Amino acid sequence: MTIDRRMLLRGMGRATAAGVIGAALAAGSSGRPPTAARARPRPHPRPEPAIQWAGAQPAVVPRSVWQTHPMAHQKPELSATTVKAVFIHHTNSGNDYSRREVPNLIRFLSDDHMERRGWDDVGYNFFVDRTGTIYEGRSGGIANPVVGAHTLGFNVGTVGIAAIGSYGSGSAVPAPMLEAIARLAAWKLGLYGVDPRGTTVLVSTNDGSKYPEGERAVFDTISGHRDGDWTRCPGAGLYTRLPQIRDRAARLQGRTEPPEAHADGPF
C-alpha cells in the first residue's frame, strides 16, 4: 500500500478454600461435647511446566496512544489456539518520519484499513518504528493469539509485525528496528515454544494467496509477507535481513548460538 505522506500529514489533528469436614461425635457416658474432625491436608497443585525457551516481553506502547476514539460497531476479536509463525511487513509509507508523528501514521493506516477496505480493525498485530519502539496494533491483547488481517490466507495462528516505512531494494533498515522486531518475535513465538529458526506448516484459507484454499505449505517461523501472498512486501531491503532476525530472536530465547557470529553485533 502506497501512502502519500503529504496527504497523511494534512490528516493528522481481563484458592480455593479448604472446607473443614465437620463430624459430630455422639456424647458418651463422659458427657463430653461433640468434637470436630480435622480436615486432611490437600496436596498443592503442581505448577505449570515452564517454557524452556522464552524471550522477555518487550515494552509495547498501547493502542490508547494512537487510537483517539473507540471504534464504532467493532466485531469481537477473533483468536486462534496458538501462534505458529510471524509474518514481517512494511507499511510502504516513507522513512523520514519523527517519533512524534508515529501515532498519526498508525491512525492513518488504521483508518485506511477500516474505512477504505472495510475491515473491523487495523490489520497488523504490531507496528515497529525506526527508533525501535513497538506499538500495539490490532486489539485483543498483545499476549493473545489474535487473528489479524495481514497475510491473505495465513492470518490464523500467525502474528503480523509491520515495520513503519519503505524498505525496498537498497534501503537501509535501522538497527533499532531490526532489534525490536527480533525481540518481539522472540517473545511471541516463545509463548508457544516456537523456535524462530524453525519451520512450520500452515493451511491456506484463501484462494487469493500463493496457495489454494486448503493447501498445506511450509513456512519459516519468521517469514516475509511475500512468502504467503503475491506482493513484494516487506521490501527486499528488509526481507534480506530476515535470517539475522531469526538468529537474533533465537539467541534472545536462550537457544544455541548460531555457527557464525556477526562481527559488528546483532545487526
Side-chain angles (χ1 to χ4, degrees):
M1 172 176 61
T2 302
I3 294 176
D4 187 326
R5 186 168 181 275
R6 291 172 298 179
M7 179 178 68
L8 166 63
L9 295 177
R10 287 200 301 270
M12 286 183 186
R14 175 184 2 189
T16 56
V20 176
I21 302 175
L25 301 178
S29 57
S30 62
R32 290 179 297 181
T35 305
R38 293 183 179 179
R40 295 181 179 179
R42 302 182 65 178
H44 293 291
R46 294 181 178 179
E48 292 294 327
I51 298 175
Q52 185 177 6
W53 309 110
Q57 178 179 333
V60 178
V61 177
R63 283 174 63 99
S64 57
V65 168
W66 60 265
Q67 183 182 16
T68 56
H69 56 275
M71 293 179 291
H73 309 297
Q74 182 185 7
K75 299 177 183 178
E77 297 88 2
L78 297 176
S79 290
T81 57
T82 189
V83 169
K84 302 176 69 176
V86 166
F87 281 104
I88 307 300
H89 306 253
H90 71 171
T91 60
N92 199 23
S93 53
N95 301 349
D96 58 341
Y97 56 86
S98 69
R99 186 170 177 176
R100 293 180 59 183
E101 291 178 303
V102 172
N104 283 323
L105 283 163
I106 297 175
R107 186 161 50 250
F108 182 89
L109 291 163
S110 176
D111 289 345
D112 177 77
H113 288 185
M114 297 176 65
E115 296 173 7
R116 186 172 71 85
R117 305 190 186 201
W119 298 349
D120 58 320
D121 198 351
V122 65
Y124 308 116
N125 299 99
F126 298 93
F127 292 89
V128 179
D129 73 13
R130 59 189 296 186
T131 71
T133 304
I134 302 170
Y135 300 80
E136 178 183 12
R138 197 172 184 87
S139 64
I142 63 173
N144 297 327
V146 176
V147 177
H150 50 85
T151 305
L152 186 66
F154 299 102
N155 290 307
V156 180
T158 67
V159 174
I161 301 176
I164 300 176
S166 304
Y167 301 100
S169 180
S171 298
V173 186
M177 172 179 278
L178 293 168
E179 176 71 9
I181 292 173
R183 289 187 177 276
L184 181 55
W187 171 61
K188 284 295 291 188
L189 293 176
L191 292 176
Y192 301 89
V194 177
D195 187 339
R197 294 176 295 187
T199 60
T200 190
V201 175
L202 301 175
V203 180
S204 174
T205 62
N206 196 302
D207 284 332
S209 74
K210 279 188 173 182
Y211 302 88
E213 182 178 353
E215 183 170 335
R216 297 162 61 87
V218 177
F219 290 89
D220 290 313
T221 53
I222 297 182
S223 288
H225 185 187
R226 63 172 66 184
D227 294 321
D229 201 359
W230 302 106
T231 177
R232 294 181 180 178
C233 181
L238 180 51
Y239 189 78
T240 58
R241 307 305 293 272
L242 295 189
Q244 290 171 282
I245 292 175
R246 297 180 190 116
D247 285 346
R248 177 61 176 158
R251 294 199 300 274
L252 289 167
Q253 287 186 353
R255 297 180 185 271
T256 305
E257 289 284 341
E260 296 182 4
H262 300 291
D264 55 351
F267 298 107

